[in-house]
Amino acid sequence: MTSSVLSFERVLSRSVGWSRAVRYSPTAKKGASLARLYNAATMGKRERVHLVETSPRDGFQNESIRIPTHIKTELIDRLSRTGLSTIEPTAFVSPKWVPQMFDSEQVARHVVETHYQTSGNSSDQKINFPALVPNVTGLERALASYGGSENLKTVSFFTAASETFSKRNINCSIERSLENLKQVIELANSHNIQVRGYISVAIACPFEGATPPEQVAQLAETLIKMGCFEVSLGDTIGMGTVKTTAKLIEKVSQRVPLNQIALHAHDTYGQGVANVTKAAELGIRTFDSSLGGIGGCPYSKGASGNVATEDLVYVLEDMGFDTGVDLELLAETGDWVSEALDMPYGSKAGRAVLSQLSLAI
Ligand SMILES: CC(C)(COP(=O)([O-])OP(=O)([O-])OC[C@H]1O[C@@H](n2cnc3c(N)ncnc32)[C@H](O)[C@@H]1OP(=O)([O-])[O-])[C@@H](O)C(=O)NCCC(=O)NCCSC(=O)C[C@@](C)(O)CC(=O)[O-]
């Protein structure tokens, strides 16, 4: 059965590529179930790329309306069923600075209750839910809300490549933020928690202009030497192009191994997918993204959303990578959250998948 289905799709794939063939065969419903067969048949054979879903945190933090906690938690629950292995649920920053994070404790508690203890669903427990923390106060809050390091496996710390952005975002110099990181790493190490490091404005800063790649490379090396397991390069205002992204990766990879570098692309100038594609060609295998491309940074005027997760799944699968993510479920979730928040659904790939599905009904 499986082989005949696969041979049917093999024919289609000659013209449009495997992943598209299985997804977008003449009957999209059939295509979707064939996609699952294809994924099962090729599991472990395609190189894995790791997507870090940031919509509940990065996506929501910039929204001016106060998003009810139940929408945040339902989004996390829905995302957890799509195959994503890392979902950043919330940030333990000051709600005076980012009012949307008024309910970090409740969101974290929901994650633990639903996905670690009571569900008994082992697949959910494979998901990592890292909390964003700016300092040791944030880490302490995260530890308390997650019920300890048994549940909190990873935290993400953030600093910036420009002094002005650092001051605006976290109210301190880069040097001071590294002192905060030192404290965070000390406490995290004592609990066996791994620390991821974000570097904002890695390509351009809204206040200081283009960021010299060498400056980012040095900072990235410092973060790794201090104990971060990975450094995520944030194109916070989405000004990066294929050219500047490639230059950045070239410089950073001279100091940090490629497997410890992630790209956090924003799509402000419509370059997010192209930049991720380039980075993947250059050997990056971890990408941050946000469902439906929602999001931005409250301290960077005009920074629109992250690159859409749906668009990345579409293009990376077509490049032959295994994202582990079900694009159809993702698109349905994107559609749901857009409706729940009364905003347009921002992923083109997601919209196309949904329209194919509605045609097939
Ligand atoms: C960093 C702080 C907290 C410094 O804020 P501050 O006011 O300079 O902090 P402070 O250390 O002077 O303390 C002042 C008060 O804040 C409290 N405080 C201190 N720390 C915390 C904490 N963790 N949680 C809650 N409260 C905290 C502290 O307890 C004290 O309370 P008070 O005595 O006045 O009642 C503040 O500037 C802040 O929260 N900034 C938020 C920045 C933010 O969330 N930005 C968006 C996320 S980063 C991002 O989106 C970029 C990224 C990662 O996605 C990558 C990219 O795209 O570039």
Side-chain angles (χ1 to χ4, degrees), residues 156-301:
S156 299
F157 179 87
F158 54 105
T159 183
S162 97
E163 287 295 349
T164 316
F165 191 85
S166 180
K167 183 77 188 146
R168 301 275 183 122
N169 195 31
I170 47 176
N171 200 25
C172 68
S173 65
I174 298 171
E175 196 182 334
R176 178 62 224 246
S177 81
L178 295 180
E179 284 165 28
N180 290 338
L181 174 61
K182 190 165 172 276
Q183 293 173 6
V184 166
I185 286 179
E186 269 168 22
L187 181 58
N189 281 349
S190 71
H191 287 275
N192 226 1
I193 296 170
Q194 55 175 4
V195 180
R196 184 176 205 237
Y198 278 109
I199 299 180
S200 288
V201 296
I203 289 188
C205 168
F207 314 107
E208 297 185 16
T211 309
E214 183 54 28
Q215 199 169 301
V216 182
Q218 284 176 21
L219 186 56
E221 186 179 30
T222 302
L223 261 52
I224 294 293
K225 283 190 172 156
M226 287 177 74
C228 291
F229 74 95
E230 179 176 271
V231 60
S232 176
L233 306 174
D235 180 14
T236 314
I237 53 173
M239 284 190 84
T241 60
V242 163
K243 195 169 137 190
T244 50
T245 302
K247 188 78 196 157
L248 176 68
I249 290 166
E250 181 200 320
K251 281 285 175 202
V252 177
S253 62
Q254 285 165 5
R255 291 173 178 268
V256 174
L258 276 171
N259 64 5
Q260 290 183 280
I261 304 171
L263 183 68
H264 179 100
H266 280 249
D267 207 26
T268 321
Y269 287 76
Q271 304 302 305
V273 170
N275 295 341
V276 166
T277 309
K278 185 67 190 173
E281 282 170 8
L282 293 173
I284 301 293
R285 295 291 178 265
T286 301
F287 301 99
D288 305 347
S289 57
S290 167
L291 184 76
I294 50 178
C297 177
Y299 297 99
S300 173
K301 201 164 175 265

